[in-house]
Amino acid sequence: MRALLILLLLVSCQVAASTPKTLVERGELRIKAWLNAEQQFVVGQQVDLTIEVATRTWFTGGTRIKIPEVNNLVVLQRDAFAANLNLREQGQTWVAQRWSLQLYPQQAGIYLLPSIALTVSVNDGSGSSVKGELETDELGFEAVIPEAMSNAEQWLAAPVFEVSEELDRPLEGLNAGDAIRRNITFRAEKLTAMMLPSVEAAAPDGLAAYQELPKLTDKSNRGKASAERREEIVYVVEREGQYLLPELSFHWWNTASQQAELIVLPVLKIDAGHPTSAPGQTNLSDKQQTFDVGTASRLYLPLAAIALCILMLLWFKTRSNSPDGILRRANRSLLKGNYAVAGQLLYAWLARREFDRDGLRLRDQLSGEGNDSALDATMNRIYGESDGQSLTGLPLRKKEPAQTRTRLSAFSRPNALELNPGNSSGARKASAPR
């Protein structure tokens, strides 16, 4: 019995002493790390680091990785979960987890990766769970700049890279105030969206450019990573003219073919009316331009229509300010009940009439045979009295022979003209002059 107790005590001590490191020493647990097969990497290229943890039993908990920090090296973990698999080696079965990290060197040089720590939980073979920390071996690699890219200011490295653009409207027949929406989309594999190129919203004088915040999208599907960056720029035509938006060039190193490639978005020609010579603006052609009949009609017909409208307005204004026109306006004011306005127009009409200056009598100019009662009713309305008689308009006499023209400027104030000269109080009496 005593011997059995001692044996049980030794076994329990051995179990209690088990750690991930002791399991590694016994060959029941292992960890290894490696880089993808390239011998030499390019600056900006994705370097894949794979970490494999395998046990001859099973995992009893989650595995956590401590991401290392290295100068000029971006280290990412795209996938939150490991790839689980079963391995058969030399007649033994292993349960394995494979974790992936993505490395992006930002400068040329040699990079040394320190040991990466992983926290694992496994069964020690006796039914107990063992949790502890394991570390990978140190790794190193070199990143270079291809000779073909040595003169490029900006470039990227990827196996696939695409650039496309979309415009929401044609670039011809635009007017001042019109807006153009331009979408430029970058797509690449084995890159992150933050590493894709950006576009500067520059525009010549006469166009205003407004840039939205870029939309970044990263995707990972079964170990295949892709990225997308979408730039949106709105151009607003501030004045008519013809404008050029310069071409956009994007250099990249094709890591699949190991060749330098170039993607170019062509020049955009914006036609917003007549060419102008504003600074920073380029005409579409340096040769002398000729206009066809259609172009001439578009240019001159609107101008002719505007000139015709101005002439018609001047004619109506002149006709309205003629003596007959003023009297017609006075009649309309009376019929609408605007008696004060009608009185002012009558004085203006009297000043514009052609008659002998000694005969400045409104009654003489308006009254005629049988019209005195209508004139009295009109004047009563103007001066605030009403005799119950309805108004149908002013009693006009027929046109008289033209006499000496008296300019309106000869009378400084229309109120100086009295209805009956010699009656100084006629214009202010409560009852209209007879």
PDB file of all heavy atoms in Angstrom, residues 363-395:
ATOM      1  N   ARG A 363     -58.337 121.064 -66.799  1.00  0.00           N
ATOM      2  CA  ARG A 363     -59.727 120.931 -67.221  1.00  0.00           C
ATOM      3  C   ARG A 363     -59.858 121.160 -68.721  1.00  0.00           C
ATOM      4  O   ARG A 363     -60.580 120.443 -69.420  1.00  0.00           O
ATOM      5  CB  ARG A 363     -60.602 121.908 -66.439  1.00  0.00           C
ATOM      6  CG  ARG A 363     -62.078 121.921 -66.878  1.00  0.00           C
ATOM      7  CD  ARG A 363     -62.882 122.851 -66.020  1.00  0.00           C
ATOM      8  NE  ARG A 363     -62.920 122.368 -64.647  1.00  0.00           N
ATOM      9  CZ  ARG A 363     -63.781 121.472 -64.208  1.00  0.00           C
ATOM     10  NH1 ARG A 363     -64.637 120.926 -65.051  1.00  0.00           N
ATOM     11  NH2 ARG A 363     -63.779 121.094 -62.956  1.00  0.00           N
ATOM     12  N   ASP A 364     -59.139 122.200 -69.236  1.00  0.00           N
ATOM     13  CA  ASP A 364     -59.231 122.488 -70.666  1.00  0.00           C
ATOM     14  C   ASP A 364     -58.680 121.343 -71.499  1.00  0.00           C
ATOM     15  O   ASP A 364     -59.143 121.071 -72.603  1.00  0.00           O
ATOM     16  CB  ASP A 364     -58.487 123.790 -70.996  1.00  0.00           C
ATOM     17  CG  ASP A 364     -59.177 124.997 -70.374  1.00  0.00           C
ATOM     18  OD1 ASP A 364     -60.377 124.871 -70.029  1.00  0.00           O
ATOM     19  OD2 ASP A 364     -58.502 126.029 -70.218  1.00  0.00           O
ATOM     20  N   GLN A 365     -57.641 120.686 -70.959  1.00  0.00           N
ATOM     21  CA  GLN A 365     -57.013 119.624 -71.737  1.00  0.00           C
ATOM     22  C   GLN A 365     -57.821 118.326 -71.692  1.00  0.00           C
ATOM     23  O   GLN A 365     -57.716 117.496 -72.591  1.00  0.00           O
ATOM     24  CB  GLN A 365     -55.592 119.354 -71.194  1.00  0.00           C
ATOM     25  CG  GLN A 365     -54.656 120.530 -71.314  1.00  0.00           C
ATOM     26  CD  GLN A 365     -54.423 120.917 -72.764  1.00  0.00           C
ATOM     27  OE1 GLN A 365     -54.298 120.068 -73.633  1.00  0.00           O
ATOM     28  NE2 GLN A 365     -54.400 122.228 -73.033  1.00  0.00           N
ATOM     29  N   LEU A 366     -58.594 118.109 -70.626  1.00  0.00           N
ATOM     30  CA  LEU A 366     -59.327 116.860 -70.476  1.00  0.00           C
ATOM     31  C   LEU A 366     -60.782 116.957 -70.892  1.00  0.00           C
ATOM     32  O   LEU A 366     -61.372 116.007 -71.408  1.00  0.00           O
ATOM     33  CB  LEU A 366     -59.262 116.373 -69.020  1.00  0.00           C
ATOM     34  CG  LEU A 366     -57.901 115.873 -68.535  1.00  0.00           C
ATOM     35  CD1 LEU A 366     -57.981 115.520 -67.062  1.00  0.00           C
ATOM     36  CD2 LEU A 366     -57.461 114.661 -69.347  1.00  0.00           C
ATOM     37  N   SER A 367     -61.412 118.086 -70.590  1.00  0.00           N
ATOM     38  CA  SER A 367     -62.863 118.163 -70.777  1.00  0.00           C
ATOM     39  C   SER A 367     -63.221 118.329 -72.243  1.00  0.00           C
ATOM     40  O   SER A 367     -62.417 118.759 -73.055  1.00  0.00           O
ATOM     41  CB  SER A 367     -63.431 119.333 -69.972  1.00  0.00           C
ATOM     42  OG  SER A 367     -62.909 120.559 -70.454  1.00  0.00           O
ATOM     43  N   GLY A 368     -64.381 117.959 -72.517  1.00  0.00           N
ATOM     44  CA  GLY A 368     -64.909 118.121 -73.869  1.00  0.00           C
ATOM     45  C   GLY A 368     -66.402 118.300 -73.784  1.00  0.00           C
ATOM     46  O   GLY A 368     -66.986 118.416 -72.701  1.00  0.00           O
ATOM     47  N   GLU A 369     -67.018 118.293 -74.879  1.00  0.00           N
ATOM     48  CA  GLU A 369     -68.453 118.513 -74.891  1.00  0.00           C
ATOM     49  C   GLU A 369     -69.175 117.360 -74.203  1.00  0.00           C
ATOM     50  O   GLU A 369     -69.003 116.206 -74.568  1.00  0.00           O
ATOM     51  CB  GLU A 369     -68.934 118.637 -76.338  1.00  0.00           C
ATOM     52  CG  GLU A 369     -68.376 119.845 -77.062  1.00  0.00           C
ATOM     53  CD  GLU A 369     -68.884 119.939 -78.479  1.00  0.00           C
ATOM     54  OE1 GLU A 369     -69.692 119.061 -78.867  1.00  0.00           O
ATOM     55  OE2 GLU A 369     -68.483 120.866 -79.200  1.00  0.00           O
ATOM     56  N   GLY A 370     -69.938 117.702 -73.196  1.00  0.00           N
ATOM     57  CA  GLY A 370     -70.695 116.686 -72.491  1.00  0.00           C
ATOM     58  C   GLY A 370     -69.892 115.867 -71.512  1.00  0.00           C
ATOM     59  O   GLY A 370     -70.388 114.880 -70.993  1.00  0.00           O
ATOM     60  N   ASN A 371     -68.596 116.215 -71.278  1.00  0.00           N
ATOM     61  CA  ASN A 371     -67.739 115.416 -70.420  1.00  0.00           C
ATOM     62  C   ASN A 371     -67.463 116.080 -69.081  1.00  0.00           C
ATOM     63  O   ASN A 371     -66.676 115.553 -68.288  1.00  0.00           O
ATOM     64  CB  ASN A 371     -66.398 115.137 -71.122  1.00  0.00           C
ATOM     65  CG  ASN A 371     -66.576 114.172 -72.282  1.00  0.00           C
ATOM     66  OD1 ASN A 371     -67.435 113.297 -72.227  1.00  0.00           O
ATOM     67  ND2 ASN A 371     -65.773 114.350 -73.307  1.00  0.00           N
ATOM     68  N   ASP A 372     -68.050 117.260 -68.808  1.00  0.00           N
ATOM     69  CA  ASP A 372     -67.719 117.966 -67.571  1.00  0.00           C
ATOM     70  C   ASP A 372     -68.145 117.183 -66.349  1.00  0.00           C
ATOM     71  O   ASP A 372     -67.450 117.148 -65.326  1.00  0.00           O
ATOM     72  CB  ASP A 372     -68.377 119.349 -67.570  1.00  0.00           C
ATOM     73  CG  ASP A 372     -67.721 120.278 -68.584  1.00  0.00           C
ATOM     74  OD1 ASP A 372     -66.570 119.951 -68.965  1.00  0.00           O
ATOM     75  OD2 ASP A 372     -68.343 121.270 -68.983  1.00  0.00           O
ATOM     76  N   SER A 373     -69.314 116.548 -66.393  1.00  0.00           N
ATOM     77  CA  SER A 373     -69.779 115.794 -65.223  1.00  0.00           C
ATOM     78  C   SER A 373     -68.869 114.603 -64.940  1.00  0.00           C
ATOM     79  O   SER A 373     -68.555 114.298 -63.787  1.00  0.00           O
ATOM     80  CB  SER A 373     -71.214 115.319 -65.450  1.00  0.00           C
ATOM     81  OG  SER A 373     -71.295 114.481 -66.603  1.00  0.00           O
ATOM     82  N   ALA A 374     -68.423 113.917 -65.977  1.00  0.00           N
ATOM     83  CA  ALA A 374     -67.491 112.791 -65.783  1.00  0.00           C
ATOM     84  C   ALA A 374     -66.164 113.281 -65.231  1.00  0.00           C
ATOM     85  O   ALA A 374     -65.542 112.631 -64.388  1.00  0.00           O
ATOM     86  CB  ALA A 374     -67.285 112.057 -67.107  1.00  0.00           C
ATOM     87  N   LEU A 375     -65.695 114.426 -65.692  1.00  0.00           N
ATOM     88  CA  LEU A 375     -64.441 114.971 -65.180  1.00  0.00           C
ATOM     89  C   LEU A 375     -64.593 115.320 -63.710  1.00  0.00           C
ATOM     90  O   LEU A 375     -63.706 115.061 -62.891  1.00  0.00           O
ATOM     91  CB  LEU A 375     -64.037 116.203 -65.997  1.00  0.00           C
ATOM     92  CG  LEU A 375     -62.770 116.914 -65.505  1.00  0.00           C
ATOM     93  CD1 LEU A 375     -61.565 115.982 -65.581  1.00  0.00           C
ATOM     94  CD2 LEU A 375     -62.521 118.174 -66.343  1.00  0.00           C
ATOM     95  N   ASP A 376     -65.751 115.937 -63.337  1.00  0.00           N
ATOM     96  CA  ASP A 376     -65.969 116.272 -61.929  1.00  0.00           C
ATOM     97  C   ASP A 376     -65.943 115.027 -61.064  1.00  0.00           C
ATOM     98  O   ASP A 376     -65.360 115.004 -59.972  1.00  0.00           O
ATOM     99  CB  ASP A 376     -67.311 117.001 -61.773  1.00  0.00           C
ATOM    100  CG  ASP A 376     -67.278 118.398 -62.405  1.00  0.00           C
ATOM    101  OD1 ASP A 376     -66.150 118.909 -62.591  1.00  0.00           O
ATOM    102  OD2 ASP A 376     -68.355 118.943 -62.695  1.00  0.00           O
ATOM    103  N   ALA A 377     -66.596 113.962 -61.514  1.00  0.00           N
ATOM    104  CA  ALA A 377     -66.589 112.710 -60.734  1.00  0.00           C
ATOM    105  C   ALA A 377     -65.179 112.166 -60.574  1.00  0.00           C
ATOM    106  O   ALA A 377     -64.784 111.668 -59.522  1.00  0.00           O
ATOM    107  CB  ALA A 377     -67.493 111.673 -61.420  1.00  0.00           C
ATOM    108  N   THR A 378     -64.393 112.283 -61.659  1.00  0.00           N
ATOM    109  CA  THR A 378     -63.009 111.798 -61.591  1.00  0.00           C
ATOM    110  C   THR A 378     -62.198 112.575 -60.575  1.00  0.00           C
ATOM    111  O   THR A 378     -61.493 112.013 -59.732  1.00  0.00           O
ATOM    112  CB  THR A 378     -62.352 111.916 -62.973  1.00  0.00           C
ATOM    113  OG1 THR A 378     -63.072 111.116 -63.894  1.00  0.00           O
ATOM    114  CG2 THR A 378     -60.914 111.444 -62.930  1.00  0.00           C
ATOM    115  N   MET A 379     -62.299 113.906 -60.602  1.00  0.00           N
ATOM    116  CA  MET A 379     -61.499 114.716 -59.708  1.00  0.00           C
ATOM    117  C   MET A 379     -61.952 114.554 -58.253  1.00  0.00           C
ATOM    118  O   MET A 379     -61.156 114.637 -57.326  1.00  0.00           O
ATOM    119  CB  MET A 379     -61.582 116.192 -60.133  1.00  0.00           C
ATOM    120  CG  MET A 379     -61.138 116.446 -61.578  1.00  0.00           C
ATOM    121  SD  MET A 379     -59.591 115.617 -62.000  1.00  0.00           S
ATOM    122  CE  MET A 379     -58.483 116.469 -60.892  1.00  0.00           C
ATOM    123  N   ASN A 380     -63.280 114.356 -58.049  1.00  0.00           N
ATOM    124  CA  ASN A 380     -63.746 114.101 -56.689  1.00  0.00           C
ATOM    125  C   ASN A 380     -63.100 112.852 -56.107  1.00  0.00           C
ATOM    126  O   ASN A 380     -62.733 112.793 -54.937  1.00  0.00           O
ATOM    127  CB  ASN A 380     -65.274 113.971 -56.676  1.00  0.00           C
ATOM    128  CG  ASN A 380     -65.966 115.322 -56.773  1.00  0.00           C
ATOM    129  OD1 ASN A 380     -65.423 116.319 -56.298  1.00  0.00           O
ATOM    130  ND2 ASN A 380     -67.143 115.363 -57.376  1.00  0.00           N
ATOM    131  N   ARG A 381     -62.997 111.821 -56.931  1.00  0.00           N
ATOM    132  CA  ARG A 381     -62.362 110.584 -56.443  1.00  0.00           C
ATOM    133  C   ARG A 381     -60.894 110.816 -56.099  1.00  0.00           C
ATOM    134  O   ARG A 381     -60.381 110.304 -55.113  1.00  0.00           O
ATOM    135  CB  ARG A 381     -62.470 109.490 -57.514  1.00  0.00           C
ATOM    136  CG  ARG A 381     -63.883 109.019 -57.736  1.00  0.00           C
ATOM    137  CD  ARG A 381     -64.449 108.342 -56.485  1.00  0.00           C
ATOM    138  NE  ARG A 381     -65.811 107.890 -56.704  1.00  0.00           N
ATOM    139  CZ  ARG A 381     -66.130 106.702 -57.190  1.00  0.00           C
ATOM    140  NH1 ARG A 381     -65.172 105.856 -57.525  1.00  0.00           N
ATOM    141  NH2 ARG A 381     -67.392 106.366 -57.355  1.00  0.00           N
ATOM    142  N   ILE A 382     -60.225 111.596 -56.931  1.00  0.00           N
ATOM    143  CA  ILE A 382     -58.792 111.836 -56.688  1.00  0.00           C
ATOM    144  C   ILE A 382     -58.586 112.605 -55.401  1.00  0.00           C
ATOM    145  O   ILE A 382     -57.680 112.329 -54.611  1.00  0.00           O
ATOM    146  CB  ILE A 382     -58.177 112.575 -57.884  1.00  0.00           C
ATOM    147  CG1 ILE A 382     -58.178 111.663 -59.128  1.00  0.00           C
ATOM    148  CG2 ILE A 382     -56.760 113.037 -57.558  1.00  0.00           C
ATOM    149  CD1 ILE A 382     -57.677 112.340 -60.372  1.00  0.00           C
ATOM    150  N   TYR A 383     -59.478 113.576 -55.119  1.00  0.00           N
ATOM    151  CA  TYR A 383     -59.304 114.432 -53.944  1.00  0.00           C
ATOM    152  C   TYR A 383     -60.141 113.993 -52.750  1.00  0.00           C
ATOM    153  O   TYR A 383     -60.426 114.767 -51.846  1.00  0.00           O
ATOM    154  CB  TYR A 383     -59.608 115.878 -54.312  1.00  0.00           C
ATOM    155  CG  TYR A 383     -58.492 116.456 -55.131  1.00  0.00           C
ATOM    156  CD1 TYR A 383     -58.556 116.424 -56.522  1.00  0.00           C
ATOM    157  CD2 TYR A 383     -57.362 116.988 -54.507  1.00  0.00           C
ATOM    158  CE1 TYR A 383     -57.525 116.935 -57.277  1.00  0.00           C
ATOM    159  CE2 TYR A 383     -56.330 117.490 -55.264  1.00  0.00           C
ATOM    160  CZ  TYR A 383     -56.407 117.468 -56.643  1.00  0.00           C
ATOM    161  OH  TYR A 383     -55.376 117.970 -57.405  1.00  0.00           O
ATOM    162  N   GLY A 384     -60.584 112.748 -52.751  1.00  0.00           N
ATOM    163  CA  GLY A 384     -61.168 112.177 -51.544  1.00  0.00           C
ATOM    164  C   GLY A 384     -62.650 112.307 -51.438  1.00  0.00           C
ATOM    165  O   GLY A 384     -63.237 111.935 -50.422  1.00  0.00           O
ATOM    166  N   GLU A 385     -63.379 112.867 -52.419  1.00  0.00           N
ATOM    167  CA  GLU A 385     -64.820 112.965 -52.364  1.00  0.00           C
ATOM    168  C   GLU A 385     -65.449 111.972 -53.326  1.00  0.00           C
ATOM    169  O   GLU A 385     -64.847 111.569 -54.314  1.00  0.00           O
ATOM    170  CB  GLU A 385     -65.269 114.382 -52.749  1.00  0.00           C
ATOM    171  CG  GLU A 385     -64.873 115.421 -51.730  1.00  0.00           C
ATOM    172  CD  GLU A 385     -65.456 116.777 -52.084  1.00  0.00           C
ATOM    173  OE1 GLU A 385     -66.066 116.888 -53.169  1.00  0.00           O
ATOM    174  OE2 GLU A 385     -65.312 117.693 -51.286  1.00  0.00           O
ATOM    175  N   SER A 386     -66.658 111.561 -52.984  1.00  0.00           N
ATOM    176  CA  SER A 386     -67.365 110.632 -53.864  1.00  0.00           C
ATOM    177  C   SER A 386     -68.791 111.098 -54.042  1.00  0.00           C
ATOM    178  O   SER A 386     -69.493 111.374 -53.063  1.00  0.00           O
ATOM    179  CB  SER A 386     -67.352 109.216 -53.267  1.00  0.00           C
ATOM    180  OG  SER A 386     -68.108 108.351 -54.081  1.00  0.00           O
ATOM    181  N   ASP A 387     -69.206 111.217 -55.304  1.00  0.00           N
ATOM    182  CA  ASP A 387     -70.568 111.663 -55.564  1.00  0.00           C
ATOM    183  C   ASP A 387     -71.471 110.512 -55.986  1.00  0.00           C
ATOM    184  O   ASP A 387     -72.572 110.705 -56.480  1.00  0.00           O
ATOM    185  CB  ASP A 387     -70.576 112.735 -56.669  1.00  0.00           C
ATOM    186  CG  ASP A 387     -69.865 112.249 -57.919  1.00  0.00           C
ATOM    187  OD1 ASP A 387     -69.461 111.055 -57.931  1.00  0.00           O
ATOM    188  OD2 ASP A 387     -69.703 113.053 -58.867  1.00  0.00           O
ATOM    189  N   GLY A 388     -70.959 109.285 -55.809  1.00  0.00           N
ATOM    190  CA  GLY A 388     -71.764 108.110 -56.143  1.00  0.00           C
ATOM    191  C   GLY A 388     -71.745 107.747 -57.597  1.00  0.00           C
ATOM    192  O   GLY A 388     -72.330 106.750 -58.002  1.00  0.00           O
ATOM    193  N   GLN A 389     -71.132 108.541 -58.435  1.00  0.00           N
ATOM    194  CA  GLN A 389     -71.087 108.258 -59.869  1.00  0.00           C
ATOM    195  C   GLN A 389     -69.956 107.284 -60.155  1.00  0.00           C
ATOM    196  O   GLN A 389     -68.835 107.445 -59.670  1.00  0.00           O
ATOM    197  CB  GLN A 389     -70.872 109.545 -60.661  1.00  0.00           C
ATOM    198  CG  GLN A 389     -70.914 109.321 -62.182  1.00  0.00           C
ATOM    199  CD  GLN A 389     -70.782 110.647 -62.912  1.00  0.00           C
ATOM    200  OE1 GLN A 389     -70.844 111.691 -62.291  1.00  0.00           O
ATOM    201  NE2 GLN A 389     -70.624 110.577 -64.209  1.00  0.00           N
ATOM    202  N   SER A 390     -70.249 106.246 -60.924  1.00  0.00           N
ATOM    203  CA  SER A 390     -69.214 105.265 -61.252  1.00  0.00           C
ATOM    204  C   SER A 390     -68.280 105.821 -62.300  1.00  0.00           C
ATOM    205  O   SER A 390     -68.677 106.628 -63.132  1.00  0.00           O
ATOM    206  CB  SER A 390     -69.858 103.967 -61.766  1.00  0.00           C
ATOM    207  OG  SER A 390     -70.608 104.216 -62.936  1.00  0.00           O
ATOM    208  N   LEU A 391     -67.028 105.368 -62.256  1.00  0.00           N
ATOM    209  CA  LEU A 391     -66.008 105.847 -63.189  1.00  0.00           C
ATOM    210  C   LEU A 391     -65.805 104.833 -64.296  1.00  0.00           C
ATOM    211  O   LEU A 391     -65.652 103.632 -64.045  1.00  0.00           O
ATOM    212  CB  LEU A 391     -64.682 106.073 -62.451  1.00  0.00           C
ATOM    213  CG  LEU A 391     -64.713 107.135 -61.330  1.00  0.00           C
ATOM    214  CD1 LEU A 391     -63.328 107.272 -60.729  1.00  0.00           C
ATOM    215  CD2 LEU A 391     -65.212 108.461 -61.854  1.00  0.00           C
ATOM    216  N   THR A 392     -65.779 105.282 -65.505  1.00  0.00           N
ATOM    217  CA  THR A 392     -65.494 104.424 -66.660  1.00  0.00           C
ATOM    218  C   THR A 392     -64.256 104.876 -67.382  1.00  0.00           C
ATOM    219  O   THR A 392     -63.939 104.388 -68.448  1.00  0.00           O
ATOM    220  CB  THR A 392     -66.668 104.437 -67.639  1.00  0.00           C
ATOM    221  OG1 THR A 392     -66.908 105.775 -68.058  1.00  0.00           O
ATOM    222  CG2 THR A 392     -67.920 103.879 -66.987  1.00  0.00           C
ATOM    223  N   GLY A 393     -63.515 105.851 -66.813  1.00  0.00           N
ATOM    224  CA  GLY A 393     -62.308 106.349 -67.468  1.00  0.00           C
ATOM    225  C   GLY A 393     -62.347 107.846 -67.583  1.00  0.00           C
ATOM    226  O   GLY A 393     -63.368 108.491 -67.327  1.00  0.00           O
ATOM    227  N   LEU A 394     -61.230 108.412 -67.975  1.00  0.00           N
ATOM    228  CA  LEU A 394     -61.135 109.853 -68.114  1.00  0.00           C
ATOM    229  C   LEU A 394     -61.830 110.325 -69.390  1.00  0.00           C
ATOM    230  O   LEU A 394     -61.749 109.650 -70.433  1.00  0.00           O
ATOM    231  CB  LEU A 394     -59.669 110.269 -68.146  1.00  0.00           C
ATOM    232  CG  LEU A 394     -58.916 110.166 -66.814  1.00  0.00           C
ATOM    233  CD1 LEU A 394     -57.453 110.451 -67.047  1.00  0.00           C
ATOM    234  CD2 LEU A 394     -59.479 111.129 -65.803  1.00  0.00           C
ATOM    235  N   PRO A 395     -62.496 111.501 -69.349  1.00  0.00           N
ATOM    236  CA  PRO A 395     -63.124 112.069 -70.571  1.00  0.00           C
ATOM    237  C   PRO A 395     -62.066 112.709 -71.440  1.00  0.00           C
ATOM    238  O   PRO A 395     -61.576 113.804 -71.174  1.00  0.00           O
ATOM    239  CB  PRO A 395     -64.090 113.120 -70.004  1.00  0.00           C
ATOM    240  CG  PRO A 395     -63.468 113.531 -68.709  1.00  0.00           C
ATOM    241  CD  PRO A 395     -62.770 112.322 -68.159  1.00  0.00           C
TER     242      PRO A 395
END
